[in-house]
Amino acid sequence: MTIGSFATITLLTKNTFVEEIRKQYVLVARAKGLSQQRVLYKHIFRNALIPLVTGFPAAFVGAFFAGSVLIETLFSLDGLGLLGYEAVIRRDYPVVLGSLYVFTLIGLVVKLVSDLLYTVVDPRVQFGAVSR
């Protein structure tokens, strides 16, 4: 269940870091004489985390919900994924709507945490601030 999402996150991380390394400000920081470690952590890492904070929760939630049905079916486990799947097959609409509600609520909480992490990663981002 985790191998597919791990590959997606790894590819996103690699592409983000390669893109940040090629930017002009990294070249300027190296030309100023900053150490490679300082350039990596202060310039590249901080700016590369912004797309990762956006992409990681979506990949995690997608892998969690899509994989839960498969794992619960294969190993005969009772869980929300199998409950939702069997409710769709049996056309039990209240259970379908209830499971969708729970999945949506979990997704919204993960997105809220992702948005709050923006301010930790990049203090320049301020929600609700009026731009002048």
Side-chain angles (χ1 to χ4, degrees):
M1 184 167 91
T2 59
I3 290 173
S5 64
F6 182 71
T8 304
I9 293 168
T10 304
L11 187 64
L12 177 67
T13 305
K14 180 195 75 95
N15 289 340
T16 304
F17 273 91
V18 167
E19 183 179 326
E20 288 296 321
I21 287 172
R22 292 180 181 166
K23 290 194 175 174
Q24 188 72 30
Y25 70 88
V26 175
L27 184 63
V28 170
R30 287 182 182 152
K32 283 182 177 181
L34 294 176
S35 68
Q36 182 68 21
Q37 186 176 12
R38 185 162 174 92
V39 170
L40 181 67
Y41 288 113
K42 290 290 183 178
H43 295 283
I44 298 171
F45 189 68
R46 178 168 249 166
N47 290 324
L49 273 180
I50 294 172
L52 290 176
V53 167
T54 305
F56 180 73
F60 174 74
V61 169
F64 178 71
F65 293 145
S68 66
V69 175
L70 178 67
I71 298 298
E72 291 169 6
T73 304
L74 287 176
F75 295 108
S76 298
L77 299 172
D78 293 332
L80 284 177
L82 188 61
L83 176 71
Y85 173 72
E86 288 179 351
V88 168
I89 297 298
R90 293 182 187 151
R91 295 184 182 182
D92 189 2
Y93 297 120
V95 176
V96 170
L97 293 176
S99 64
L100 283 176
Y101 177 76
V102 170
F103 288 153
T104 304
L105 189 65
I106 292 171
L108 287 174
V109 168
V110 168
K111 288 300 279 183
L112 176 67
V113 170
S114 168
D115 286 343
L116 293 176
L117 280 176
Y118 261 84
T119 58
V120 174
V121 170
D122 192 3
R124 297 173 295 177
V125 175
Q126 296 177 356
F127 296 114
V130 178
S131 41
R132 297 178 186 195

